[in-house]
Amino acid sequence: GAGVSQSPSNKVTEKGKDVELRCDPISGHTALYWYRQRLGQGLEFLIYFQGNSAPDKSGLPSDRFSAERTGESVSTLTIQRTQQEDSAVYLCASSSGALYSNQPQHFGDGTRLSIL
Amino acid sequence: DQQVKQNSPSLSVQEGRISILNCDYTNSMFDYFLWYKKYPAEGPTFLISISSIKDKNEDGRFTVFLNKSAKHLSLHIVPSQPGDSAVYFCAASAGYNNNDMRFGAGTRLTVKP
């Protein structure tokens, strides 16, 4: 499809394991974003990529969280040594990324992560 | 820091009536504002936006109003339909870099038949 694709859609894992979440943005979108939404809460910004670079990593909650993007396309968000508080829906969005250009972000359906 | 605030976590209206969702912001540099709609198990979808050079933008049943002096915007849905039941997120960015977008916590709208 032409939208943002995220995989897996659901992930259940044991505390302490590492998880990797994947995002395929809309083709041609240079900007890519990761957000987290905990149960009953709003969207929490995690990290943003412009191309393959991440100018803003300020939202990453701890050093257990990392993200990369390659080929100005696919991005992976990795959570090491998962904790129960990491349970949330992780949303990816992309946009054209052009500065001085007001463009909405387009979201994927998210990965629902449950840490047992 | 909560630069975008939606103080009403939920709103319930009768079908056919007007729904008014409110949003306040603190950063005077914000000049691009958006509303997103989110159904369960789906990602947010873009609904409507407004630039700070305007005070109103209308798209069908949806109208967004911006009051810059009050740092307040609102989304009006009229007439409301049961299919409008969803969580609505307000978002804002500074136009020179709209990649830095801040979201409110969302308001759950329920439209009763």
Side-chain angles (χ1 to χ4, degrees), chain A residues 19-109:
Chain A
V19 294
E20 193 172 276
L21 313 179
R22 177 187 168 108
C23 173
D24 284 89
I26 291 173
S27 178
H29 279 188
T30 60
L32 185 147
Y33 317 80
W34 284 99
Y35 296 88
R36 176 170 74 176
Q37 186 181 19
R38 287 173 162 153
L39 190 64
Q41 298 187 22
L43 297 179
E44 177 187 357
F45 170 79
L46 297 179
I47 189 170
Y48 140 63
F49 287 91
Q50 181 66 40
N52 294 330
S53 301
D56 189 357
K57 300 180 182 179
S58 63
L60 293 177
S62 75
D63 58 8
R64 296 187 295 104
F65 287 72
S66 63
E68 65 173 17
R69 188 181 185 195
T70 56
E72 297 197 358
S73 180
V74 173
S75 174
T76 53
L77 176 68
T78 302
I79 310 173
Q80 295 178 308
R81 305 181 302 281
T82 52
Q83 304 293 314
Q84 287 184 333
E85 66 260 26
D86 299 334
S87 296
V89 175
Y90 289 81
L91 289 159
C92 175
S94 70
S95 73
S96 67
L99 294 179
Y100 302 100
S101 168
N102 289 331
Q103 296 291 332
Q105 296 177 15
H106 300 269
F107 284 82
D109 287 340

Side-chain angles (χ1 to χ4, degrees), chain B residues 70-104:
Chain B
K71 295 193 179 68
H72 177 85
L73 66 155
S74 61
L75 174 67
H76 293 209
I77 307 173
V78 55
S80 301
Q81 299 174 353
D84 296 329
S85 297
V87 176
Y88 289 79
F89 291 99
C90 169
S93 67
Y96 76 96
N97 179 15
N98 62 57
N99 296 307
D100 183 10
M101 191 166 290
R102 305 289 168 153
F103 286 80

Side-chain angles (χ1 to χ4, degrees), chain B residues 8-73:
Chain B
S8 298
S10 63
L11 173 69
S12 181
V13 301
Q14 206 66 36
E15 181 179 6
R17 298 293 187 97
I18 184 171
S19 296
I20 300 176
L21 297 111
N22 293 303
C23 178
D24 297 290
Y25 61 96
T26 58
N27 188 341
S28 58
M29 297 298 291
F30 287 149
D31 60 3
Y32 180 54
F33 306 89
L34 309 89
W35 285 94
Y36 284 84
K37 176 179 178 179
K38 185 182 185 301
Y39 291 118
E42 295 183 10
T45 54
F46 169 70
L47 189 58
I48 192 169
S49 65
I50 188 167
S51 163
S52 61
I53 62 173
K54 295 185 175 182
D55 54 18
K56 176 182 174 181
N57 189 26
E58 191 172 350
D59 183 1
R61 297 185 297 112
F62 302 91
T63 303
V64 55
F65 293 93
L66 176 63
N67 182 334
K68 290 185 289 294
S69 60
K71 295 193 179 68
H72 177 85
L73 66 155

